[in-house]
Amino acid sequence: MKLLVVYSSKTGNTKKVAMAIGETLGVEPVAVTDAPSPDDYDWIVAGFWVDKGTADAAMKAYLSKITNKQVALFATLGAEPDSDHARQCLANAAKLLGPGCTLTGQFICQGKVSDEMVSMMKKMFPEGHPHAMTAERLARIEKAASHPDAEDLSAAQAYFADWRKEWIAG
C-alpha cells in the first residue's frame, strides 16, 4: 500500500501539522505544488489551510484530481476547531474529492491567520458586516496566532496513529 501525505500551507501552520502526521505515518509529506499524481497512491492524507470556508485554491485543484482513493483530510483555520464552522469547512473540502473516493478521516486544528488576510479583512469589511474585525474576532485571531502548538501536533499524531490502525492496518 502506497501512502501520500500532501499539504498546502500559507503561514507554515499546515506544514507543521503535515510534518507531525508524516512522522507518525512514516512518510515524508509533500507540498501540493510538488505533489505527484494521486493515481500512484492507494491512501492519501491531504491537508490545507481554510480559505473562504473550504480548502485553499491549490488544494481544491488537487483534491478534484483524486479519484477512487481512500482519503483523510486535515486542516488548519483561525476559528475554533470544535465549531460548526470548522466542521463545515471539512465537509466542504470533502465535497471537492473526485468520484469514487472514500473519506476515511478528518482532523482540524487552529492555526495562525496570515497578516495579509487580517489586513484584507480590516479593509474589506466595514463595522456591522458579519466578517468585520470586531473585538471578539481580533481576540480569536490573537489566540490562533499561537497555534498549532505542541498539543495540536500531538493530537494530530494521535489521531493519525489511530487512523493508521483502523484503516491501513485493518
Side-chain angles (χ1 to χ4, degrees):
M1 293 294 226
K2 288 184 72 179
L3 172 65
L4 172 67
V5 175
V6 59
Y7 67 90
S8 179
S9 192
K10 184 173 181 90
T11 62
N13 297 329
T14 313
K15 181 178 181 179
K16 284 181 191 174
V17 177
M19 294 304 185
I21 293 167
E23 182 181 315
T24 296
L25 298 177
V27 298
E28 185 68 31
V30 179
V32 71
T33 53
D34 300 323
S37 169
D39 296 339
D40 298 334
Y41 294 86
D42 303 301
W43 297 86
I44 298 173
V45 176
F48 57 91
W49 56 277
V50 171
D51 186 27
K52 300 178 189 91
T54 190
D56 65 274
M59 188 53 73
K60 269 186 189 180
Y62 194 78
L63 292 174
S64 69
K65 294 177 188 175
I66 303 172
T67 59
N68 302 309
K69 302 293 177 190
Q70 305 288 325
V71 181
L73 298 174
F74 69 95
T76 59
L77 80 165
E80 294 293 332
D82 61 351
S83 66
D84 288 338
H85 176 65
R87 284 185 285 282
Q88 189 59 55
C89 292
L90 286 168
N92 292 342
K95 292 176 188 172
L96 299 169
L97 291 168
C101 289
T102 300
L103 185 63
T104 60
Q106 297 181 13
F107 176 86
I108 194 164
C109 69
Q110 206 166 31
K112 179 184 185 325
V113 177
S114 74
D115 294 337
E116 172 189 334
M117 183 69 68
V118 173
S119 294
M120 179 193 71
M121 290 176 70
K122 283 180 178 178
K123 291 175 188 171
M124 285 183 64
F125 302 117
E127 190 173 321
H129 186 279
H131 296 295
M133 281 296 163
T134 63
E136 179 184 345
R137 184 176 297 258
L138 288 169
R140 188 181 70 240
I141 289 170
E142 185 176 323
K143 179 185 175 218
S146 65
H147 292 269
D149 59 17
E151 189 174 313
D152 297 321
L153 299 178
S154 179
Q157 289 181 309
Y159 180 88
F160 280 96
D162 289 344
W163 174 85
R164 178 182 56 209
K165 287 177 194 170
E166 182 176 347
W167 290 98
I168 295 181

